[in-house]
Amino acid sequence: MKTIAIIATGGTIAGVGKDGKTVVYHAGEIDVNDILESIPQINEVAHLKTFQLYNVDSNEMDEEKWMGLSNMINSLVLEEDIDGIVVTHGTDCIEETSYYLTLTLNTNKPVVLTGAMRPATATSADGPFNLYQAVSLASNDSAYGKGVMVLFSNTIYSGRDVQKINNFKVDAFGQKTFGCLGYMQDEVPYFFSDTFKKHTIHSIFAGNYNSLPKVGVALFYAGASADILYHLAQSNEGIVIVGAGSGNYNEKWKEAIEDLSKKGTIFVRSSRVQEGIVFDDEVFDPHHYCISSNTLSGQKARVLLMLALKKTKDRDQIRQIFAQY
């Protein structure tokens, strides 16, 4: 059997609440080994090594914890007896962690994130089955070289494109209009598509980090003041605009973006619309000060911009990075 390292970070999968209830619980309370005791059949899938790195609600995940998790995985995959990695994680911010790992892990070994929508104390908790399938996926030869994946509710998603689309159903994730990578039937994965964006060993960002540039996110809404941008620019090297429609905003924001860009702030345009693509725009950004996020959400565009700014401050070079990742 393969040997899989399980790195626990907390989340609902380790949550505790009133017996049987699915709401009003505290995430990140149970040790990963206690969860594994409820799924003894998992020991027929792989040899397991467990690491309780964090035990927090995923809203407590931040850049420091991303770096700690990524650096730990980059160390573990160097061990010959580790065949794959599973990370247990809260669902609220799993899409940001998965994208950070997609960009920074230096391995072809399978890395799978999973979690739960129901706490461990709920009736029909979904965490144990998700964890069982995540270990099964990480143990399967077909998962090699697929990049970072998220396994949830029988479905395999790419770490780049996965997003939370529901806050109460157990089938809580989607991947925009691209579809998923594949599906699980019990312990067997079936892949139907692949990701063509650069990731893991093909990423220029693959490696360990101990600091990241600061990047803020500004949500545009009807009547939003441009003061928001000036305030963010005081403490951030870059700003991701989460605009309306195709990443759009009003004239005051446009003027502020042009002014701040001339002073060195790097801007990325994304959209608050759940599905769609943000391209360059001659009307809202006639001088091409902004970098288009393409299909990345605002929160994922922030992850890429932080890493891009670690490499270069040149706007045109960052534009090329966004086209590739």
Side-chain angles (χ1 to χ4, degrees):
M1 286 194 297
K2 301 281 184 70
T3 297
I4 303 299
I6 300 178
I7 304 174
T9 68
T12 297
I13 192 171
V16 172
K18 187 174 181 180
D19 285 346
K21 300 296 184 180
T22 61
V23 296
V24 190
Y25 61 88
H26 293 282
E29 295 285 335
I30 296 177
D31 186 88
V32 62
N33 291 298
D34 294 331
I35 302 171
L36 290 170
E37 286 183 5
S38 68
I39 37 176
Q41 65 271 31
I42 201 170
N43 295 301
E44 300 173 9
V45 175
H47 298 297
L48 303 177
K49 292 186 175 182
T50 59
F51 303 87
Q52 189 74 52
L53 179 60
Y54 313 122
N55 211 355
V56 297
D57 187 297
S58 71
N59 294 292
E60 300 298 331
M61 293 294 289
D62 54 20
E63 299 90 338
E64 183 178 347
K65 290 184 174 65
W66 290 344
M67 290 185 286
L69 174 60
S70 178
N71 295 351
M72 181 179 186
I73 295 174
N74 276 331
S75 177
L76 283 173
V77 294
L78 295 176
E79 299 181 16
E80 292 185 5
D81 64 336
I82 298 293
D83 299 298
I85 305 287
V86 168
V87 178
T88 60
H89 196 287
T91 62
D92 282 353
C93 296
I94 197 171
E95 56 198 81
E96 289 155 275
T97 300
S98 67
Y99 191 42
Y100 181 80
L101 296 178
T102 292
L103 296 169
T104 60
L105 293 186
N106 191 24
T107 184
N108 254 337
K109 293 180 179 180
V111 177
V112 184
L113 283 75
T114 194
M117 288 296 291
R118 295 171 178 167
T121 49
T123 300
S124 298
D126 56 323
F129 186 60
N130 285 340
L131 182 53
Y132 173 79
Q133 288 198 319
V135 170
S136 299
L137 177 58
S139 303
N140 197 283
D141 290 338
S142 65
Y144 190 88
K146 295 289 187 183
V148 175
M149 294 166 283
V150 175
L151 184 285
F152 222 88
S153 191
N154 294 297
T155 311
I156 306 166
Y157 302 100
S158 77
R160 179 191 186 275
D161 298 314
V162 67
Q163 62 182 49
K164 190 170 183 178
I165 60 173
N166 197 289
N167 62 7
F168 68 94
K169 292 182 179 180
V170 292
D171 188 11
F173 287 87
Q175 195 168 287
K176 296 195 173 183
T177 56
F178 307 119
C180 59
L181 297 181
Y183 298 97
M184 298 287 294
Q185 185 180 51
D186 291 329
E187 76 280 6
V188 182
Y190 295 88
F191 285 98
F192 295 99
S193 65
D194 208 343
T195 178
F196 295 96
K197 294 293 187 178
K198 290 185 178 181
H199 60 76
T200 54
I201 63 168
H202 305 291
S203 169
I204 61 170
F205 308 111
N208 293 343
Y209 296 86
N210 55 27
S211 67
L212 290 169
K214 289 189 175 183
V215 173
V217 177
L219 174 68
F220 176 77
Y221 52 89
S225 170
D227 291 345
I228 296 169
L229 303 180
Y230 284 101
H231 177 74
L232 283 173
Q234 293 176 11
S235 57
N236 293 280
E237 293 184 39
I239 298 174
V240 176
I241 303 294
V242 182
S246 298
N248 306 332
Y249 34 75
N250 60 26
E251 282 294 321
K252 291 182 179 179
W253 273 45
K254 183 172 123 178
E255 292 170 3
I257 289 168
E258 292 177 355
D259 180 35
L260 291 167
S261 293
K262 293 173 183 176
K263 297 175 181 177
T265 303
I266 301 296
F267 283 92
V268 172
R269 290 173 58 246
S270 67
S271 176
R272 67 188 195 184
V273 178
Q274 184 171 321
E275 294 191 5
I277 305 174
V278 176
F279 295 112
D280 292 344
D281 193 292
E282 297 292 338
V283 175
F284 290 91
D285 185 32
H287 303 294
H288 303 290
Y289 287 119
C290 293
I291 296 159
S292 301
S293 68
N294 200 277
T295 59
L296 292 175
S297 65
Q299 57 267 32
K300 289 195 176 187
R302 174 177 174 264
V303 175
L304 181 54
L305 184 55
M306 283 191 291
L307 287 166
L309 286 168
K310 192 76 173 177
K311 295 289 185 183
T312 179
K313 311 300 182 185
D314 184 88
R315 184 181 292 108
D316 290 334
Q317 290 182 25
I318 296 174
R319 198 184 309 276
Q320 287 300 314
I321 287 171
F322 269 78
Q324 295 172 339
Y325 293 87

